[in-house]
Amino acid sequence: MIKRIKENKDAKRLLIYLLLSFGLTFVWFAIALPKGQTWDGMSSEKQSFVTLGMLFPVIAHVLTRWITKEGFSMTGKDSMMLGISFQKKKWIYYLLAALLPWLYMEFANLITLLICSEAYDPEYYLVMGIDKKMLPLLPINSIVAGIIGSIGAFGEEGGWRGYMMPKLMKLMSREKALLLGGIIWGLWHAPITCIGHNFGTDYPGFPYVGILNMCVLCILMGVLLTFITEKSGSVWPAVILHAVNNASPSILNGYINPDKVGRILGTSGSWVGMLVSLIPVVVVILLLWRHSDKA
């Protein structure tokens, strides 16, 4: 295996990238995360400081290209995929990136309410500080806020989709690459999953179940993000989708008490809803991808 990596230029570059990405990120979290402190126990300023670690995948991308003398072309084959083009209907992928998270998150919240009806709070929007008349605008606000504040998402997608996935898909089949890429991405989240960023800390099997959950979600999300990156020839649609996803664009957010979901179902409530909503989307994307290959 080691000999094969040494003989394969792409495999060697990928290994350097992963070592840098994980190494830099984990060192950052070791420095930035106070021992014993949870995500909810931090101030918003501290949370923002910790999440600067999201920038290291794209930093590792740049460093890998510099170390391996791979070059820094913005567009084209083996590029950083930083160009933007709306030709040949590529604008569709930017629109899809902005709207798709709203659709699957609305569905995910609906599923959460079906399996955890006690979490329904007809006036939870008041806790969020939102006027009821403004609830229909929540998705628009999240989409705009996500796009504007997408620097963190670029830190990840500029690395995972801009470098890791193209290399993996050169080394193995698309299906294996999507599976392995999702697992790698999920494991990279382990330090902040362990402090409760993604699923909290009060659930059976903490933190190992949370890390497993994150790997599953990253596999599913990775299919969407890699698809729109490949089809658009740019990481920017993936950046937009990732950022809007993180902004949680859903009208039903105003009617779900997340504390009740956590107390009743632990981490599984929102996770199951997200899982069930993403699976059909991923299946459709894979079918479209396969159809486009044959066209």
Side-chain angles (χ1 to χ4, degrees), residues 51-259:
T51 53
L52 286 175
M54 293 176 68
L55 298 176
F56 285 113
V58 76
I59 291 172
H61 179 179
V62 173
L63 289 175
T64 301
R65 286 182 173 274
W66 176 65
I67 292 169
T68 61
K69 297 180 173 59
E70 198 169 350
F72 297 93
S73 57
M74 296 290 106
T75 60
K77 185 179 179 182
D78 296 325
S79 72
M80 299 181 75
M81 291 192 288
L82 293 177
I84 296 177
S85 173
F86 298 134
Q87 296 179 351
K88 298 181 180 179
K89 297 184 179 180
K90 290 182 179 179
W91 59 268
I92 292 175
Y93 301 105
Y94 291 84
L95 183 63
L96 184 67
L99 297 180
L100 190 58
W102 173 30
L103 299 177
Y104 65 66
M105 282 202 167
E106 210 73 81
F107 187 41
N109 277 337
L110 179 61
I111 293 168
T112 299
L113 287 174
L114 290 175
I115 63 176
C116 184
S117 59
E118 297 92 335
Y120 175 69
D121 185 338
E123 295 185 338
Y124 187 72
Y125 56 85
L126 296 176
V127 179
M128 299 171 65
I130 300 173
D131 187 282
K132 188 175 183 178
K133 296 178 181 178
M134 299 301 292
L135 279 175
L137 298 179
L138 266 180
I140 298 174
N141 179 70
S142 296
I143 290 170
V144 173
I147 293 172
I148 293 174
S150 60
I151 183 171
F154 172 67
E156 289 199 55
E157 297 308 320
W160 305 129
R161 250 48 64 181
Y163 196 81
M164 179 182 73
M165 290 310 302
K167 289 289 187 287
L168 281 175
M169 289 196 287
K170 278 187 175 183
L171 298 170
M172 59 192 72
S173 68
R174 177 189 294 154
E175 290 76 14
K176 290 180 180 178
L178 290 169
L179 181 62
L180 180 57
I183 293 172
I184 291 171
W185 187 24
L187 292 176
W188 176 84
H189 285 88
I192 55 174
T193 301
C194 288
I195 64 167
H197 176 263
N198 305 107
F199 307 103
T201 58
D202 187 18
Y203 57 86
F206 170 80
Y208 306 106
V209 170
I211 294 173
L212 177 61
N213 288 351
M214 198 64 199
C215 287
V216 174
L217 288 177
C218 284
I219 290 170
L220 295 175
M221 287 296 299
V223 173
L224 312 185
L225 293 163
T226 304
F227 171 77
I228 62 174
T229 299
E230 181 179 298
K231 293 302 178 183
S232 66
S234 172
V235 299
W236 294 113
V239 171
I240 293 171
L241 194 154
H242 190 149
V244 175
N245 176 86
N246 287 356
S248 300
S250 171
I251 296 172
L252 286 177
N253 282 340
Y255 298 100
I256 297 178
N257 188 323
D259 293 333

Side-chain angles (χ1 to χ4, degrees), residues 32-59:
L33 293 175
K35 188 174 181 180
Q37 192 167 11
T38 63
W39 181 258
D40 289 338
M42 296 180 193
S43 65
S44 57
E45 292 79 10
K46 183 64 178 180
Q47 290 176 347
S48 297
F49 180 69
V50 169
T51 53
L52 286 175
M54 293 176 68
L55 298 176
F56 285 113
V58 76
I59 291 172

Side-chain angles (χ1 to χ4, degrees), residues 104 107 217 220-221 224 273-283:
Y104 65 66
F107 187 41
L217 288 177
L220 295 175
M221 287 296 299
L224 312 185
M274 193 71 162
L275 180 68
V276 174
S277 67
L278 276 175
I279 287 176
V281 176
V282 167
V283 170

